[in-house]
Amino acid sequence: MKSVFVLFLVLVLPSDFFGQVSREAASHFNSGVLFFKDNDLYAAEKAYSRAIASEPAYEKAYYNRGKTRLRLKKFQEAIIDFKKVAEMNAKHDKALMYIGYAELQLKKFPAAISYFSRSLKLNPQQPTTYKNRGVAYMKEGKFSEAVEDFSKALSLDNTDLGAQFNRALCYLHTNDRIKASRDFSQLIDKDYESIVCLSERGKILYGAGDFASAVYDFDRAISLGAVNPDLYFLRGLAHLKLENFKSAKNDFTRVLAVEQAHMQARQNRAYVAFKLEDYQQAAKDFTALLEAQPHDLTLYMNRGLSALRLENFDRAYQDFTVIIDHDPKLATAYYNRANAAIGLSMTDVACRDMREAAKLGYEQAFAFISSLCN
């Protein structure tokens, strides 16, 4: 979320409040302006302080010192200066706006909103103030109010891409995916925050079931330098939906290279590895998943099936036995354990399990019973 402010300082002649300031005060003030222009902010602050010491009611000196202190990130001291200006000039909208900005930087969001609102009552044609109040609303989680402010800022200045970017993010929070996608698309066309915009639009497209377009956006974001593991995970899911199993497996592997504990990525890689007949990888992943979820019978089933394909019959027999011990009415577990028993030359056990699978209604078991059990 981006917030901005612009500082303009000008030299003055020795006439200000009530028509006159001392020559000494004006000299210090003008020195402050020149120091600020040269980016010598500490010297500028001191010069304005000298002007104020010379003329304690020097409004412009307080105002410029406040802006200098904003640049120095002395936000609390800047607030004091701008409040002094507001006391001297109740209609000074910019002083109120800068107080709001300083409060925003101090993360005092309700106070920031209050001062921005007071400033806008005095001058409702301030796009930057609407934008900054929108940021404060975002921080408060008031996304509908933030959308209104960013939209108002854009109506006054349609070139403010930062306001449009923030509005797009707010639309995501208000579940207005169509408007969010529209803003992200326009920002992508203008090459603004392309990685984030492509990533977020890709998520919207994925949620809408347009998996091919989502992959296209994720590809572009990654090619621009996106390194977020979640992006690879989402692209992997999109590939999975498109049955691009090899690409899905590669993406889940990238995620696990960074986050080994990412169980969803591991579970999906195990699935696609099995589909790709990479049973060795599938078995490893199912084993890792079982370490985290030792009571998940589905994982035992899948590891057992992988072990069967690898002709690791002992491992398969053990896994199907665990399932049967917990669910003695699961026909497929008996059927698969029978196949593991055949691999172990345990014909009597295989015959018994195949009969049990048939008794439980597993039709494929019937074809084996006559040949296996005589």
Side-chain angles (χ1 to χ4, degrees), residues 296-315:
D296 190 330
L297 297 184
T298 301
L299 295 176
Y300 281 104
M301 177 66 77
N302 289 331
R303 187 175 68 173
L305 292 172
S306 300
L308 271 182
R309 303 300 195 281
L310 293 167
E311 297 186 0
N312 185 352
F313 301 117
D314 186 62
R315 171 78 277 165

Side-chain angles (χ1 to χ4, degrees), residues 23-318:
R23 190 172 296 277
E24 178 186 4
S27 176
H28 289 312
F29 181 91
N30 288 333
S31 295
V33 172
L34 294 174
F35 282 132
F36 188 93
K37 186 176 180 181
D38 291 337
N39 206 35
D40 191 347
L41 301 178
Y42 287 103
E45 182 185 25
K46 289 179 181 178
Y48 292 132
S49 295
R50 292 190 188 102
I52 291 167
S54 179
E55 294 284 358
Y58 198 166
E59 178 187 318
K60 286 187 177 180
Y62 282 106
Y63 182 68
N64 281 10
R65 188 174 70 174
K67 290 190 285 188
T68 303
R69 285 173 166 173
L70 283 181
R71 287 279 297 274
L72 289 168
K73 300 186 185 301
K74 295 182 177 182
F75 299 118
Q76 197 60 58
E77 291 168 270
I79 288 171
I80 294 171
D81 280 344
F82 290 123
K83 283 186 175 180
K84 188 70 174 180
V85 174
E87 287 174 10
M88 297 178 186
N89 183 355
K91 294 184 178 181
H92 204 305
D93 58 277
K94 288 187 178 179
L96 295 171
M97 181 269 287
Y98 283 130
I99 295 172
Y101 179 83
E103 297 284 18
L104 179 60
Q105 301 310 306
L106 292 170
K107 304 185 187 306
K108 297 179 179 179
F109 307 123
I113 291 167
S114 176
Y115 279 105
F116 288 139
S117 298
R118 288 173 61 186
S119 178
L120 288 166
K121 282 184 179 179
L122 294 172
N123 179 6
Q125 302 301 310
Q126 303 178 68
T128 300
T129 306
Y130 281 109
K131 176 181 177 179
N132 285 332
R133 190 174 68 173
V135 171
Y137 277 131
M138 286 182 79
K139 295 290 189 179
E140 284 284 280
K142 297 178 178 179
F143 299 109
S144 295
E145 292 89 338
V147 164
E148 289 183 16
D149 272 355
F150 294 131
S151 296
K152 183 63 176 179
L154 287 164
S155 72
L156 295 169
D157 178 9
N158 61 11
T159 66
D160 191 339
L161 301 183
Q164 187 172 15
F165 178 77
N166 285 337
R167 185 175 70 176
L169 295 178
C170 288
Y171 279 139
L172 292 178
H173 287 282
T174 59
N175 291 316
D176 197 336
R177 306 290 176 180
I178 294 175
K179 289 182 180 178
S181 182
R182 180 194 62 199
D183 273 348
F184 285 130
S185 295
Q186 291 174 1
L187 291 164
I188 290 165
D189 291 340
K190 296 170 184 175
D191 198 27
Y192 183 86
E193 297 287 353
S194 296
I195 290 177
V196 176
C197 292
L198 285 165
S199 300
E200 294 300 332
R201 189 176 71 174
K203 293 175 187 177
I204 294 170
L205 291 166
Y206 178 88
D210 189 351
F211 305 118
S213 295
V215 166
Y216 178 73
D217 273 359
F218 294 145
D219 284 346
R220 289 176 65 189
I222 289 168
S223 71
L224 289 172
V227 293
N228 187 347
D230 289 340
L231 203 57
Y232 284 102
F233 178 70
L234 286 170
R235 189 174 70 173
L237 291 179
H239 279 305
L240 188 57
K241 293 288 188 179
L242 294 168
E243 298 189 357
N244 298 330
F245 298 123
K246 186 174 181 180
S247 296
K249 182 186 173 188
N250 289 338
D251 277 341
F252 297 135
T253 298
R254 288 189 180 97
V255 176
L256 290 166
V258 179
E259 297 182 17
Q260 292 187 7
H262 198 303
M263 291 297 103
Q264 289 179 305
R266 191 170 297 281
Q267 188 161 347
N268 282 303
R269 187 176 69 174
Y271 171 76
V272 294
F274 193 93
K275 294 289 288 186
L276 291 167
E277 300 182 5
D278 184 355
Y279 302 119
Q280 195 73 44
Q281 183 64 66
K284 288 180 181 178
D285 281 336
F286 287 129
T287 297
L289 290 164
L290 277 165
E291 290 175 2
Q293 305 169 66
H295 304 297
D296 190 330
L297 297 184
T298 301
L299 295 176
Y300 281 104
M301 177 66 77
N302 289 331
R303 187 175 68 173
L305 292 172
S306 300
L308 271 182
R309 303 300 195 281
L310 293 167
E311 297 186 0
N312 185 352
F313 301 117
D314 186 62
R315 171 78 277 165
Y317 189 89
Q318 292 177 47

